[in-house]
Amino acid sequence: SKVPIDFQPIEGGSHGFYHQLEKRIAIAEGMSQSQNVKTGIHELAHSRLHDIDMADAENGVVVDRRTREVQAESVAYTVCQHYGIDTSDYSFGYIAGWSEGKDMKELRGSMEIIRREADSVIKEIDRHLADIRREREQESELMAEEEKSFIAKYYVVEDLQVRGALQIEKFDDLETALE
């Protein structure tokens, strides 16, 4: 998200909102992890598609609230489905409620916007996940190299035939340690 996202108490049953003037996303505290993800994507879609400082990219006008809600929830549902997060129990009712009374022409008009935005969000998430994986692999490789260099330089040997206190010695190579 290009705008900050935070968790906060939200009154009135809303799960989240995009604050148009402060350019930030708020998500209600205390929800499940999957609901947090879905709500975050829903509000992210609002921030990218419906910000008051930009007009609708398709026709140069700001769309009505019902259309905005259908678009944002449809993007969230599509992105979540792509990653195996099932939000259908919530999303279908939400979309049906906001699209009630809309004709097919209006709904079809949103389909390309929804498809394009969901695709864009998925590609961005995939890029970030790939970056995170690369960073973790590099960290893992670095730790493995550090462990190898430590093991290659220092060997601890216990002479099992000597009675008494344990003797620990440091050697520069394995051959000397074995001798």
Side-chain angles (χ1 to χ4, degrees):
S1 175
K2 292 183 178 20
V3 299
I5 300 175
D6 64 355
F7 292 90
Q8 68 182 57
I10 299 176
E11 294 179 20
S14 176
H15 291 165
F17 61 85
Y18 171 60
H19 197 289
Q20 295 271 352
L21 298 176
E22 295 178 9
K23 307 294 186 220
R24 68 179 179 86
I25 293 170
I27 298 174
E29 293 176 336
M31 296 189 303
S32 70
Q33 195 171 34
S34 60
Q35 186 66 44
N36 287 339
V37 169
K38 199 273 322 156
T39 301
I41 295 168
H42 175 108
E43 300 306 335
L44 174 70
H46 278 310
S47 76
R48 292 164 57 135
L49 294 173
H50 309 129
D51 188 274
I52 59 172
D53 292 336
M54 58 184 229
D56 179 72
E58 292 298 306
N59 56 24
V61 298
V62 177
V63 295
D64 64 73
R65 174 139 192 237
R66 293 171 63 202
T67 300
R68 292 192 311 263
E69 292 304 326
V70 168
Q71 289 176 351
E73 189 65 21
S74 297
V75 168
Y77 172 79
T78 304
V79 172
C80 286
Q81 283 298 116
H82 176 81
Y83 293 106
I85 302 169
D86 183 14
T87 66
S88 57
D89 286 347
Y90 180 83
S91 294
F92 289 168
Y94 189 91
I95 293 168
W98 284 102
S99 61
E100 187 176 345
K102 291 256 184 205
D103 64 25
M104 288 307 283
K105 182 180 177 188
E106 288 177 281
L107 294 172
R108 279 194 189 107
S110 290
M111 294 306 284
E112 179 57 24
I113 293 167
I114 293 164
R115 187 210 58 78
R116 187 179 57 239
E117 186 60 25
D119 183 62
S120 176
V121 170
I122 288 167
K123 286 178 179 173
E124 287 181 40
I125 290 171
D126 285 348
R127 273 194 301 272
H128 286 292
L129 288 173
D131 290 344
I132 290 168
R133 283 188 192 106
R134 257 191 313 280
E135 287 173 14
R136 287 186 179 166
E137 287 171 4
Q138 289 172 348
E139 288 172 5
S140 204
E141 289 171 7
L142 182 60
M143 287 175 58
E145 284 301 314
E146 288 174 0
E147 287 176 10
K148 282 182 191 175
S149 65
F150 176 79
I151 292 170
K153 291 180 184 175
Y154 305 102
Y155 296 92
V156 178
V157 178
E158 178 182 358
D159 187 342
L160 298 175
Q161 296 182 2
V162 175
R163 300 272 181 221
L166 175 67
Q167 292 186 357
I168 299 174
E169 295 184 43
K170 182 170 73 174
F171 298 94
D172 290 330
D173 58 70
L174 179 60
E175 192 173 310
T176 307
L178 291 174
E179 289 175 5

